Amino acid sequence: MRLVIASLGLLTLTAQSAALTDAQLLAHYRHLHSHPELSLQEEQTARYLARELSSMGYAVSTGIGGHGLVAKLENGDGPTLMYRADMDGLPIPENTGLPFASEATGIIPSGDEVAVMHGCGHDVHMTVLLGVASQMMARRDEWQGTLLLVGQPAEELGAGALAMLEDGLYPRFGVPDANLALHVSATLPAGQFGYVSGYALANVDEVDISVYGRGGHGAYPHTTTDPVLMAAQIVLGLQTIVSRELSPLDSAVITVGSIHGGTKHNIISDEVKMQLTVRSYSDATRAMLLRRIEEISHGVARTAGMAEDRLPLVTVTDEYTPAVYNDPALVGTVAGLVRQALGESAMVELDPVMGGEDFSRYGRTEEQVPGNIVWLGTVSPANMAAAEAGQLTLPSLHSAKFAPDAEPTIAAGVSGMTAALLGLFKVRP
């Protein structure tokens, strides 16, 4: 079901008494920042959000697709809109110097204990969700419809959205007319929004390649078939796929992130293992990349004389995240609403990136719900000026030093996303 955009007037974002104050939002942010939890382990984080949303008057359901939660507010006849925030942290030891820096730890699948921080801004995402929730509750006389607020687990694994959908997200809580989300940006000024129409983030595939050979003594390579040499040829061959087989107007990335083989200087091993990340936008390009990776790997081994039953094993793992496609009509409406609320310069157009985001999953169901994820800047004026002067390299997302300028970032996030939701609720299917 598509939306017909109604005529929208300027939105006034004056908070009513029931809405969270800036000080309360900052307190929530500091708590969430100090208590990160790893993917699939977000039990206390979900409990914190559920308690706060319940106290506002939302009907909160928990344990969806793991530690996922949905806060629902039915407010008369009208559209159903969904707004998502992700909850998981990262296995990174924080090095920001903040007085509320994380000292949390978690257990990774290997069983090792690691330091954990919110190095991707999910603490900001959750805080903005709480602020938006309080605004929408306080101002429910300004809109009609049903609001679904989603706290999603395991975004960093690309698994949480699918888990919630497979656990009945839409059948249990209603199919939205549109889905919204935001993600912090490590390069935009604090409080400025960025938008991308169409493809915004990439398909993400993980590919494992086992290259088999015939091992032996390093002094007698002629008696062996060297898998290290084959692996090197495969690495070089893979780089020709994007540069020579894909249109220059299309975009893709094939990166070999890991390669391991052998045990000693003078031993030619029997096997080399490689790990790849493969990025694309369209499904057709994705299929071509994955096919050619296998064909090139097999071709190198055949040229080296390997038998058909000893060709490289190429495995595409289950950790697939589809590309994010921002619905152009929805993007235009949201951008206009944010500009009305915060000023013309508050929303700027950006280029798509090759990062991944499983927000895409919410639009890849049979209902084909239109979605839009926007970027929200986090960089303080001082750091932005220093970076522009070449005096500072801004920490990226997933950096141990990533520290948003929290107050203006959160304030703009709440105002902008509240404006978007209030405006979209004036839409009729």
Side-chain angles (χ1 to χ4, degrees):
M1 183 160 48
R2 294 288 172 172
L3 301 178
V4 179
I5 306 302
S7 175
L8 302 173
L10 181 65
L11 294 168
T12 302
L13 291 183
T14 303
Q16 298 182 8
S17 58
L20 293 173
T21 66
D22 290 344
Q24 289 171 320
L25 287 169
L26 187 60
H28 283 306
Y29 168 73
R30 289 178 173 175
H31 173 86
L32 292 165
H33 183 89
S34 300
H35 296 83
E37 294 175 292
L38 292 171
S39 304
L40 304 177
Q41 301 176 32
E42 310 92 338
E43 180 179 1
Q44 297 304 317
T45 302
R47 184 174 298 172
Y48 184 90
L49 290 183
R51 184 187 71 234
E52 296 302 317
L53 291 165
S54 295
S55 71
M56 296 179 197
Y58 285 82
V60 180
S61 300
T62 59
I64 304 161
H67 295 301
L69 66 91
V70 174
K72 187 173 185 177
L73 178 57
E74 295 178 317
N75 192 36
D77 295 331
T80 296
L81 300 179
M82 190 181 102
Y83 179 71
R84 183 218 73 166
D86 35 14
M87 303 187 297
D88 48 335
L90 288 162
I92 300 172
E94 182 167 350
N95 187 24
T96 61
L98 293 170
F100 51 91
S102 170
E103 297 180 359
T105 61
I107 305 299
I108 57 177
S110 66
D112 295 326
E113 184 177 42
V114 296
V116 184
M117 74 170 289
H118 272 300
C120 202
H122 296 186
D123 45 356
V124 173
H125 303 174
M126 291 184 284
T127 305
V128 170
L129 180 139
L130 290 174
V132 168
S134 71
Q135 287 280 344
M136 297 303 292
M137 178 63 76
R139 302 171 63 176
R140 58 193 179 274
D141 58 341
E142 299 179 34
W143 60 277
Q144 288 186 311
T146 298
L147 176 61
L148 302 176
L149 300 175
V150 172
Q152 182 201 301
E155 186 277 330
E156 295 294 349
L157 298 181
L162 182 60
M164 293 190 74
L165 288 164
E166 290 181 339
D167 200 17
L169 177 65
Y170 287 169
R172 292 168 62 180
F173 301 100
V175 179
D177 292 294
N179 291 331
L180 298 181
L182 63 75
H183 198 296
V184 296
S185 164
T187 57
L188 285 176
Q192 185 176 58
F193 285 87
Y195 71 91
V196 180
S197 185
Y199 285 114
L201 293 110
N203 293 308
V204 179
D205 281 286
E206 294 179 353
V207 180
D208 296 333
I209 303 178
S210 294
V211 183
Y212 305 115
R214 289 190 298 269
H217 199 297
Y220 313 112
H222 58 289
T223 67
T224 73
T225 303
D226 189 347
V228 173
L229 179 59
M230 283 190 284
Q233 292 173 324
I234 290 170
V235 171
L236 293 176
L238 296 181
Q239 302 313 305
T240 67
I241 300 174
V242 174
S243 65
R244 286 297 177 266
E245 300 186 42
L246 196 65
S247 167
L249 302 180
D250 202 350
S251 297
V253 171
I254 299 175
T255 294
V256 180
S258 173
I259 181 166
H260 295 278
T263 58
K264 195 173 183 292
H265 301 75
N266 62 349
I267 298 175
I268 292 175
S269 67
D270 289 315
E271 183 178 354
V272 171
K273 291 185 177 294
M274 303 163 60
Q275 295 178 312
L276 286 63
T277 186
V278 181
R279 310 291 172 113
S280 58
Y281 290 129
S282 73
D283 290 342
T285 298
R286 173 180 180 252
M288 185 275 279
L289 296 175
L290 297 178
R291 173 177 56 83
R292 290 295 290 140
I293 288 169
E294 182 171 71
E295 290 173 349
I296 288 174
S297 299
H298 286 182
V300 167
R302 288 191 179 104
T303 300
M306 296 303 294
E308 290 296 309
D309 63 351
R310 292 285 288 169
L311 296 181
L313 176 63
V314 179
T315 304
V316 181
T317 74
D318 294 333
E319 302 298 325
Y320 163 59
T321 302
V324 172
Y325 184 83
N326 283 334
D327 182 81
L330 183 60
V331 169
T333 301
V334 169
L337 292 165
V338 172
R339 285 177 174 137
Q340 287 178 12
L342 301 179
E344 190 63 28
S345 64
M347 178 73 85
V348 297
E349 186 170 9
L350 302 176
D351 293 326
V353 297
M354 280 291 169
E357 236 288 358
D358 71 348
F359 176 73
S360 57
R361 289 284 187 187
Y362 299 111
R364 300 280 285 223
T365 64
E366 63 182 45
E367 295 87 356
Q368 295 185 322
V369 178
N372 180 22
I373 187 169
V374 297
W375 295 100
L376 176 62
T378 61
V379 184
S380 69
N383 285 351
M384 184 62 71
E388 291 173 348
Q391 300 168 349
L392 175 69
T393 299
L394 295 173
S396 69
L397 299 177
H398 292 210
S399 164
K401 294 182 178 294
F402 178 66
D405 189 4
E407 293 183 65
T409 298
I410 293 166
V414 172
S415 295
M417 299 316 292
T418 301
L421 288 168
L422 287 173
L424 288 171
F425 272 119
K426 298 182 185 298
V427 172
R428 289 295 179 265

